[in-house]
């Protein structure tokens, strides 16, 4: 186990100009003089406005991150975490050396990345997310995780061919950039919900629907990578009303739903309900290595 603090500046790049970063007082700077603050909690702030996309994304709120941590901590998504972990371990173990970086795109508070790193004791994790709250929690969640805020809609502030593995779990991430940051032989592990995921809540509460075929769509958007494995987690878990509300408010539905209305609708149903978990985990490999 290598729990020494890691130097995140070996992998991070300036989100404005893609140059390398050097430590300076209060944070890090590139040769062009773009300065990025390091928070007292240790993470760098790399969230900048991307050309043509308006203000930088703010990501999940504290309430959403709380809901995610409660729901994941209760074990309702353990089967997804195990599938992501196993896919990452299988993908990384197929290439020589297992001491590189796992980059978690929009990784939230770090639950999935922590599971992956526990199974890969020689590797380090970089977690990027637009949410300051999520990044702060992720940074302190595991000794081998470093985190940074970033808006991942256009660019990933990471050097070319630096990632042995990239995780994309219910998360955004531009395909061209994923191909750019993967090291030769490196793997992308993506977890994508199926239309029936959480259907017992989606249908009655009129939540955002997941269209069919999203995993195929992702694979088609990454022509430079080759699909090497695919598995679909399908199971039924049992959630009480509080956990059902967390399942709604830990994701983008939080931006469209009123908590009081959702809680009233859940109160009219049983105290415990079945919840379908249906998520495809696909592994794609970069050429070379
Ligand atoms: C559904 S959550 C998934 C979090 C984590 N991957 C997991 O499965 O636990 C989506 C995450 O994307 C982040 N996010 C949303 N828009 C983003 C953006 N433009 N750039 C970076 N992160 C973003 C949110 O803050 C949130 O943490
Ligand atoms: Zn710069």
């Amino acid at each position: 186990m290598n729990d020494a603090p890691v130097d995140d500046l070996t992998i991070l790049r300036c989100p404005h100009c893609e140059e390398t970063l050097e430590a300076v007082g209060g944070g890090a700077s590139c040769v062009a003089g773009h300065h990025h603050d390091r928070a007292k909690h240790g993470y760098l702030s790399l969230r900048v406005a991307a050309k043509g996309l308006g203000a930088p994304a703010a990501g999940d709120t504290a309430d959403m991150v709380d809901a995610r941590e409660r729901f994941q901590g209760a074990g309702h998504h353990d089967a997804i975490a195990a599938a992501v972990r196993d896919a990452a371990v299988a993908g990384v173990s197929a290439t020589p050396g297992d001491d590189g970086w796992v980059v978690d795109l929009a990784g939230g508070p770090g639950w999935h990345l922590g599971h992956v790193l526990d199974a890969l004791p020689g590797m380090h994790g970089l977690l990027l997310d637009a949410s300051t709250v999520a990044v702060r929690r992720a940074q302190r969640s595991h000794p081998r995780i470093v985190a940074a805020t970033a808006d991942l809609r256009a660019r990933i502030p990471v050097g070319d061919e630096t990632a042995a593995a990239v995780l994309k779990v219910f998360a955004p991430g531009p395909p061209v950039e994923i191909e750019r940051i993967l090291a030769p032989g490196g793997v992308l592990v993506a977890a994508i919900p199926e239309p029936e995921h959480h259907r017992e809540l989606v249908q009655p509460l009129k939540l955002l629907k997941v269209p069919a075929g999203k995993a195929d769509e992702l694979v088609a958007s990454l022509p430079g990578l080759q699909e090497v494995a695919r598995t679909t987690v399908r199971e039924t878990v049992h959630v009480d009303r509080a956990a059902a509300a967390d399942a709604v408010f830990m994701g983008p539905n939080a931006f469209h739903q009123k908590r009081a209305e959702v809680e009233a609708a859940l109160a009219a149903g049983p105290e415990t309900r079945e919840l379908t978990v249906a998520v495809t985990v696909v592994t794609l490999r970069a050429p070379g290595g």
Side-chain angles (χ1 to χ4, degrees):
M1 172 91 63
N2 175 10
D3 278 352
V6 261
D7 181 4
D8 53 357
L9 301 185
T10 60
I11 183 166
L12 289 171
R13 298 291 181 271
C14 177
H16 293 294
C17 66
E18 298 175 15
E19 291 291 342
T20 53
L21 293 166
E22 284 202 15
V24 294
S29 281
C30 68
V31 282
H34 299 125
H35 177 85
H36 307 284
D37 289 337
R38 193 179 284 283
K40 67 173 188 293
H41 307 278
Y43 61 86
L44 272 183
S45 298
L46 300 180
R47 189 178 52 203
V48 298
K51 235 184 180 168
L53 293 178
D60 286 3
T61 63
D63 284 348
M64 293 165 74
V65 177
D66 285 344
R68 176 166 298 279
E69 289 195 306
R70 281 193 301 266
F71 191 85
Q72 292 176 330
H76 305 306
H77 276 177
D78 279 1
I80 305 172
V84 168
R85 177 202 61 206
D86 293 351
V89 170
V92 166
S93 305
T95 52
D98 59 355
D99 55 354
W101 285 95
V102 182
V103 176
D104 191 1
L105 302 177
W111 190 69
H112 287 287
L113 183 55
H115 279 86
V116 168
L117 293 177
D118 283 344
L120 292 168
M123 300 192 77
H124 286 102
L126 169 67
L127 183 142
L128 300 170
D129 200 286
S131 163
T132 306
V133 179
V135 162
R136 197 184 302 140
R137 305 247 181 112
Q139 173 82 24
R140 63 173 190 230
S141 70
H142 194 283
R144 280 176 285 125
I145 289 182
V146 285
T149 60
D151 182 347
L152 301 175
R153 284 175 298 172
R155 276 186 182 174
I156 302 175
V158 160
D160 295 355
E161 300 187 355
T162 50
V166 171
L167 307 182
K168 179 172 159 31
V169 182
F170 299 104
V176 173
E177 284 284 276
I178 292 172
E179 292 188 359
R180 179 184 66 77
I181 69 171
L182 272 176
V187 288
L188 167 68
V189 175
I192 305 118
E194 293 295 328
E196 64 270 35
H197 185 61
H198 290 189
R199 70 171 167 223
E200 296 82 357
L201 297 172
V202 172
Q203 286 159 4
L205 297 174
K206 299 192 171 45
L207 304 183
L208 299 167
K209 286 202 179 105
V210 179
K214 291 226 351 166
D216 288 339
E217 219 174 85
L218 177 75
V219 171
S221 74
L222 293 155
L225 308 184
Q226 194 189 359
E227 182 176 340
V228 291
R230 185 187 291 223
T231 183
T232 299
V233 174
R234 276 183 213 283
E235 66 169 16
T236 303
V237 295
H238 293 86
V239 294
D240 62 15
R241 290 190 189 116
D246 283 341
V248 175
F249 289 99
M250 70 184 197
N253 285 296
F255 297 117
H256 308 285
Q257 297 282 330
K258 293 201 172 68
R259 184 146 205 132
E261 287 174 12
V262 167
E263 282 175 354
L266 292 172
E271 167 54 23
T272 301
R273 70 191 67 216
E274 293 190 339
L275 192 60
T276 301
V277 172
V279 175
T280 292
V281 176
V282 56
T283 308
L284 297 104
R285 188 177 298 286

